[in-house]
Amino acid sequence: CQKCIYSVEAELGECTVLDVGDSVVMPGIVDSHVHVNEPGRTSWEGFWTATKAAAAGGVTTIVDMPLNSIPPTTTLGNFHEKLREATGKCFVDTAFWGGVIPGNQVELQPMIHAGVAGFKCFLIHSGVEEFPHVTNCDLHAAMKQLQGTGSVLLFHAELDVQQTTEESGDPSQYSTFLESRPDVMEVEAIRTVTELCLQYQVRCHIVHLSSAKPLKLIQKARQAGAPLTVETTHHYLSLCAENIPAGATQFKCCPPIRGSNNQEQLWSALKAGQIDMVVSDHSPCTPDLKKLDTGDFSQAWGGISSLQFGLPLFWSSAKKRGFQLSDVVRLLSRKTAQLCGLDNQKGSLGPGYDADLVIWDPEREFEVSIRNSRGEHTSQKQAQIFDDVVMFVQITPYLGITLQGVVYATILRGRLVYKEGSFCPEPLGKHLLIPQRKNQAQL
């Protein structure tokens, strides 16, 4: 805790004292798993609204995923197009992941030199046609390109191992959807990842782990020398399958939210250091894609929006399990910064680091409501989009939940970008282009 901090306005040569009382002052959150969707699907979420939501949640850096924008960030030209689209629209600092898809291995090293943080691939259908999943042949080709670069390959780790693809059961029942994506899909995918990681000694990272069953595989690979890291998300730590009503497609994501016993195993793994970090996997869409009218989980878009609420979501559950504020910094800021090569400027407080701060009250409670939700359909001021505002909040699984931890202010590189519901008048965020790293150090 700290009594007051200084907000520095460098170009004006002024220094403002911001009295924050007994609030907690800690490094700004680095959310390394965010789908912004601009260009091409800006109606789902664009940089302007996504980074505003981030600032309101104490997130000072996001790392944008290579999908679901059109075009995806899978070539050097597409990466430059994304940079152009994001220019002048970011209220927080933004870095970018590239993508690995079939046949684009010659694009990987040029994108590394241009400053992508690393790459993501899918081992199963991604949900969008322009970002196809990779085969074993594609993976070996990509790994050969990444060897010696210090870059990292992120895996959506599910493999389609079922003999039948035809779903049985009521599609409006969550149990039907859960049974269609069993734990074994994650286990077998992660088995493939560990083998590749050990063979090539390229940094590998498993995104959004939902099942606790592959944890032994991950530990065994690490002990054998694999430079392998793993994340989980706020929704897997906060929501359980047993509490999802029929037709509540706002809860759909892939991999799926699993049962409460599995959730407690994830928390235990987090405490033991077997899971390295926690991210949002913020993945919004337009209301119609959630199929709320039919409640059909098999047809609904899979994705959960939580960029603004990551800190209180994590703290509300973590505090009950004995986690400390130092754990929040480690899991939501420092480790995520290390993953994407920003650990020399983000995620910690110290000389030479960016003055990125979140100021928040860990004791104060609030209820998630229309009023405090922000996003493409909630941050606009025009009255004519009110119906969209209501619908967007209806597809948020956290609506009506009481959380602990209220963000008072967010400071980006010494400048106040958010305070008690108000934002700086112009976006102050920068693009973060990551210099190539030669070392293969694990987190």
Side-chain angles (χ1 to χ4, degrees):
C1 296
Q2 194 168 320
K3 181 64 178 176
C4 64
I5 63 171
Y6 293 99
S7 177
V8 181
E9 303 288 346
E11 59 264 37
L12 298 179
E14 297 176 357
C15 186
T16 303
V17 177
L18 182 64
D19 189 340
V20 300
D22 294 326
S23 298
V24 169
V25 178
M26 72 178 205
I29 294 164
V30 178
D31 193 336
S32 56
H33 194 147
V34 177
H35 294 268
V36 179
N37 313 318
E38 186 175 7
R41 290 192 176 99
T42 310
S43 60
W44 295 19
E45 181 85 283
F47 285 101
W48 185 274
T49 54
T51 57
K52 265 195 167 183
V59 178
T60 51
T61 300
I62 64 168
V63 192
D64 175 58
M65 281 292 167
L67 72 165
N68 303 302
S69 57
I70 301 174
T73 315
T74 51
T75 69
L76 182 61
N78 292 354
F79 177 44
H80 286 154
E81 182 173 348
K82 174 152 290 201
L83 291 173
R84 286 193 296 271
E85 289 288 338
T87 299
K89 299 176 182 176
C90 296
F91 285 80
V92 300
D93 285 353
T94 304
F96 304 87
W97 297 113
V100 170
I101 60 172
N104 83 325
Q105 63 266 24
V106 297
E107 297 280 353
L108 305 186
Q109 290 193 20
M111 281 196 281
I112 291 171
H113 295 307
V116 297
F119 300 91
K120 182 184 184 181
C121 68
F122 276 72
L123 302 184
I124 195 170
H125 194 284
S126 70
V128 293
E129 296 299 327
E130 67 275 3
F131 200 97
H133 66 284
V134 291
T135 64
N136 275 336
C137 181
D138 299 319
L139 286 170
H140 285 284
M143 284 292 196
K144 289 171 184 174
Q145 291 294 315
L146 296 180
Q147 274 187 314
T149 65
S151 194
V152 58
L153 183 55
L154 283 56
F155 291 82
H156 180 120
E158 288 181 287
L159 270 177
D160 196 353
V161 296
Q162 293 179 299
Q163 294 300 311
T164 59
T165 57
E166 189 174 335
E167 290 184 19
S168 58
D170 183 350
S172 70
Q173 294 295 322
Y174 184 74
S175 58
T176 302
F177 169 62
L178 182 58
E179 288 166 10
S180 75
R181 298 187 85 117
D183 300 75
V184 67
M185 294 176 69
E186 289 190 77
V187 171
E188 291 309 312
I190 288 172
R191 192 185 311 278
T192 296
V193 174
T194 59
E195 290 169 356
L196 285 166
C197 192
L198 284 167
Q199 177 181 349
Y200 288 97
Q201 288 296 303
V202 167
R203 290 172 59 216
C204 294
H205 178 75
I206 296 157
V207 298
H208 51 46
L209 181 76
S210 85
S211 172
K213 291 194 174 177
L215 285 166
K216 288 183 181 178
L217 272 174
I218 294 168
Q219 285 301 100
K220 184 178 178 182
R222 285 170 155 174
Q223 290 164 4
L228 178 64
T229 52
V230 59
E231 71 188 33
T232 192
T233 71
H234 301 300
H235 39 274
Y236 300 136
L237 296 173
S238 303
L239 305 171
C240 345
E242 296 91 335
N243 299 329
I244 299 176
T249 53
Q250 64 267 37
F251 289 85
K252 180 181 176 180
C253 58
C254 298
I257 295 161
R258 304 192 188 275
S260 56
N261 289 338
N262 177 83
Q263 184 183 83
E264 289 308 318
Q265 292 176 60
L266 292 179
W267 277 109
S268 296
L270 203 59
K271 183 164 277 190
Q274 296 174 359
I275 297 174
D276 301 286
M277 64 198 74
V278 184
V279 298
S280 71
D281 185 15
H282 175 73
S283 184
C285 67
T286 52
D288 59 298
L289 295 177
K290 274 297 186 181
K291 306 296 180 185
L292 289 170
D293 53 342
T294 64
D296 188 336
F297 281 96
S298 68
Q299 298 300 312
W301 174 259
I304 289 178
S305 302
S306 63
L307 181 54
Q308 181 179 345
F309 299 117
L311 177 56
L313 278 169
F314 181 75
W315 181 244
S316 297
S317 296
K319 184 181 180 184
K320 298 173 186 175
R321 292 169 172 85
F323 285 76
Q324 305 298 314
L325 291 173
S326 58
D327 297 315
V328 180
V329 174
R330 174 173 55 86
L331 295 167
L332 273 63
S333 300
R334 193 168 72 246
K335 290 293 186 178
T336 47
Q338 288 175 357
L339 171 68
C340 48
L342 290 168
D343 46 311
N344 63 339
Q345 64 183 114
K346 304 288 186 183
S348 299
L349 298 183
Y353 283 82
D354 289 348
D356 294 350
L357 306 173
V358 54
I359 302 159
W360 64 294
D361 183 348
E363 302 300 325
R364 186 175 160 195
E365 294 184 343
F366 72 100
E367 182 180 305
V368 178
S369 66
I370 294 172
R371 208 168 186 162
N372 53 36
S373 293
R374 291 187 179 274
E376 177 62 32
H377 300 279
T378 59
S379 66
Q380 307 293 327
K381 300 295 185 183
Q382 294 90 337
Q384 63 266 30
I385 62 106
F386 183 73
D387 289 341
D388 288 339
V389 173
V390 175
M391 182 59 73
F392 181 82
V393 175
Q394 284 176 343
I395 63 171
T396 301
Y398 302 112
L399 183 65
I401 292 178
T402 297
L403 298 176
Q404 192 170 13
V406 173
V407 173
Y408 167 72
T410 304
I411 292 175
L412 179 67
R413 285 178 277 104
R415 302 186 68 177
L416 193 66
V417 293
Y418 171 82
K419 181 184 175 185
E420 296 182 296
S422 297
F423 298 86
C424 56
E426 297 296 332
L428 298 176
K430 296 195 306 187
H431 295 164
L432 301 173
L433 303 180
I434 314 299
Q436 185 173 354
R437 300 204 303 186
K438 293 294 185 183
N439 65 349
Q440 296 282 3
Q442 294 191 58
L443 298 187

